[in-house]
Amino acid sequence: MSGPRKTAIVTGASQGIGAGIVRGFLERGFNVVANSRKVTQSTEVAASDSVALVDGHIGEPATAARIVETAAVSFQVDRRTGQ
């Protein structure tokens, strides 16, 4: 992939299909912000230079705000445009 790395947000990322989606994005050269209620305790997804983890329920506005802030800080994503 040429140009700046894109960033994906994956909810339900701690296991199963969600963890598989995280791996798929990583294989395609994306950065990933992975979220679930206890993603930091996952045995299938781990933090790295390309993966940021955010615990919390996605239905809570504060969690959603933390995910966006994490993407912006960790991967230099513009909060307004998402790029």
Side-chain angles (χ1 to χ4, degrees), residues 1 3-5 7 9-10 12 14 17 25 28-29 33 39 41 45 51 61-62 70-73 75-78:
M1 185 161 76
R5 290 176 65 123
T7 300
I9 294 171
V10 179
S14 64
I17 293 170
F25 275 120
R28 287 160 181 80
V33 180
V39 72
Q41 297 175 20
V45 176
V51 178
T70 299
V73 171
F75 306 121
Q76 291 82 39
V77 174
D78 186 304

Side-chain angles (χ1 to χ4, degrees), residues 7-67:
T7 300
I9 294 171
V10 179
T11 62
S14 64
Q15 62 184 2
I17 293 170
I21 291 170
V22 170
R23 286 189 296 275
F25 275 120
L26 291 172
E27 290 169 0
R28 287 160 181 80
F30 282 69
N31 294 313
V32 178
V33 180
N35 160 259
S36 76
R37 292 178 193 205
K38 297 180 181 180
V39 72
T40 57
Q41 297 175 20
S42 173
T43 59
E44 295 185 46
V45 176
S48 70
D49 290 343
S50 299
V51 178
L53 305 177
V54 178
D55 284 333
H57 188 290
I58 190 59
E60 297 175 3
T63 299
R66 275 196 325 273
I67 291 169

